Amino acid sequence: MYWIIVVFCGVLSLLSIENVYAESVRLDEVVVTATRTEEEIDKIPANVTVITREDIGKSTASTVQDLFRNEEGLVISDYYGTGTKSKVSMRGFDQGNNTLILLDGRRLNEIDSGEVDWNLIPLEHVERIEIVRGSESVLYGDNAMAGVINIITRKGKVMMPVAEIETRIESYDGDTEHFSLRGGTEKITYFLFAKQRETEGYRDNSEFNANNLNAKLGFNISERLFVDFSGTYHTDHQGYPGGLSKAELESDRTQAITPDDGADYEQYFYGTNLRYNSGEWGDIEVEYNFNSRKFDASYISMAWNMKRDTNTDETKLKFTTTPTFFNYKNLLVIGVDRYNAKMDDNTSDISKTDYGYYLQEEFFFNDKLSLNLGYRYGEAEIKDTVNGDKDFFKSAIKTGITYNYKKYSKGFISYSKGYRLPTIDDLGLAAEGLKPEEADTYEIGSIYTFNDRLEVRLTIYDMKIKNEIRFVPNATPPFYGVNDNLEKTEHKGVELGFSTNLHELLSIFGNWTYNDATFESDPYKGNRIPLIPQQSINIGGNIKLIKHYLVTLKGNWVSERYLDGDFGNNTDRLPDFMTFDTKLSYENKRVNVYIGANNIFDKEYVEYGNVWGALYPVPDRNYYCGIKVSF
């Protein structure tokens, strides 16, 4: 902690020196995730950050999940070290199903587990990522109780055709190639993308082979009418090496306990979006998406084969208007969401239909002070040929006040009531009468910009939760427990971050997260919830050595945490760890050449483990290099 404070104080000292070459730390930013329409980031009563295309290019990340390791409040668990089996969580939830993940506004959390298949999102296809911390159940309903991450992909642009080719090699016999083509006219824009990736993986039987095809077409039919079409096809194969015991981990971290297990995925998606600007009355948007997912897993170690075919379609209707009442500006968003998923597996046919009706109003008293109010009513029906039918009726509310006391600076306070419904997997191994989770969330925060060069973000939150769903362990085989509701839990914490441009040659970022997630009812009252690190620290920077050359260095520290299932807090913990990554790149208008190393000090650590004796090691020091050409 001491060296973090020293660096931070040094940053503040350097900012006091006038530097004509320093750029503004943040330009005027508009996001869509926090209000489901375009809105200035400084008007939103929440801790919102944006990862831009430029940020992605400078980073050491190989996957989308890697980008999140630099963000305050986000916890990443990578099971196999290839990014193929990862969980991304925030606000003290470890399973990934309390954070809603969107891809261009489309829901990615699966009906069965509530988790996300991150392999569907090639990093090279991403234009920007918007992260909204805190409950967004009003706008998005299920899975958004802790926050929302919206990954916005690249699309066509009015320009001459531009092609991009990249090839990359990495440790563990890995290689990646991708190709994209982008262009358009005033009437039609297009974007095409193809990628293949393969790696043998850090561990035995952790190989991964994937192919992605993506296409987008945009039509400007008139000055007021716009239509977009998009489609995706994805296949992959991945090995499942299994978890290791402590003795096996110490003997050989790379071995596979299940050397023949693995799974194959095949998915395709298509969607269309229509937007009509009616002029003074507002904007109307209609969207339809369809996704088909085929999953075929062979668990040779258990003599079991599992197949799941899931078809999902969603329809969204939204009306946005900016009326003026008594000379005060308003931003009103009204919408209806319909989400329907059908899943066939080895034993049952399951469907889930979810309707949501929402309204959100932003009332601007003046240029500095605004009030945010929102309400949602949702109803969901689950039909299961084995476990029976379930109906859920939930509502969510949110209110917040934002005060912009100077440019690029704000203070905010908010209250929200959110929920998460049980997933199909939750219900499949559930105690009788499993209920939805409910949370009352209180937040206060501030973003302050010094001299347009240093941005400091501070958020304090408290979530009081009823019926949090956890796998409650027991000592009886074969399932060792059931999914059940915890009567009361509490997640409270602090998110502190900063970013600065000291000079056109130097930028630095860093953050500290404190998260105290505890049981608040018997029999575990006062104990910490497993798998949640109480603290994490990230720091990094970009240095331009000479023209076209850039060095990136970042470090991540994560505190110790209790093993999954250790409700009594009485077993060994996952040790804390700190890692460093670096990259050197050369870039001009047409060529980008880079070389990098992850975990450069060869730290041995684990990001997930449980009380049943399964530990999942993360790769040791590894390298990569590549070249990207545009023409």
Side-chain angles (χ1 to χ4, degrees), residues 155-198:
K155 60 182 180 180
K157 190 176 181 180
V158 179
M159 59 190 298
M160 293 293 292
V162 174
E164 182 179 278
I165 298 176
E166 181 177 9
T167 183
R168 166 188 171 115
I169 58 174
E170 57 191 44
S171 297
Y172 318 122
D173 294 325
D175 69 87
T176 301
E177 291 79 35
H178 95 262
F179 167 82
S180 68
L181 178 66
R182 183 186 194 191
T185 67
E186 295 291 340
K187 290 294 184 180
I188 301 176
T189 60
Y190 57 87
F191 183 80
L192 303 174
F193 177 89
K195 176 182 176 179
Q196 80 86 31
R197 181 193 174 198
E198 60 182 1

Side-chain angles (χ1 to χ4, degrees), residues 409-476:
S409 300
K410 69 179 179 182
F412 65 88
I413 185 170
S414 70
Y415 163 76
S416 58
K417 188 175 185 65
Y419 64 89
R420 180 179 80 83
L421 304 179
T423 66
I424 299 304
D425 287 351
D426 287 337
L427 293 168
L429 191 61
E432 185 176 355
L434 192 67
K435 302 174 184 177
E437 299 178 348
E438 299 179 4
D440 293 287
T441 303
Y442 306 86
E443 291 188 56
I444 185 170
S446 178
I447 296 178
Y448 190 82
T449 303
F450 297 86
N451 299 328
D452 292 339
R453 300 180 195 169
L454 170 66
E455 179 184 273
V456 178
R457 305 176 298 275
L458 174 65
T459 305
I460 302 171
Y461 65 89
D462 188 355
M463 300 181 70
K464 298 184 182 298
I465 303 168
K466 293 190 301 183
N467 301 321
E468 182 172 346
I469 300 171
R470 300 287 301 196
F471 185 75
V472 180
N474 59 45
T476 305

Side-chain angles (χ1 to χ4, degrees), residues 126-137:
V126 177
E127 181 67 30
R128 61 191 269 122
I129 300 174
E130 299 176 358
I131 303 170
V132 184
R133 298 162 182 83
S135 177
E136 291 295 326
S137 294

Side-chain angles (χ1 to χ4, degrees), residues 33 237 289 353 486 613 623:
T33 309
H237 168 77
N289 297 310
T353 303
L486 305 175
Y623 306 92

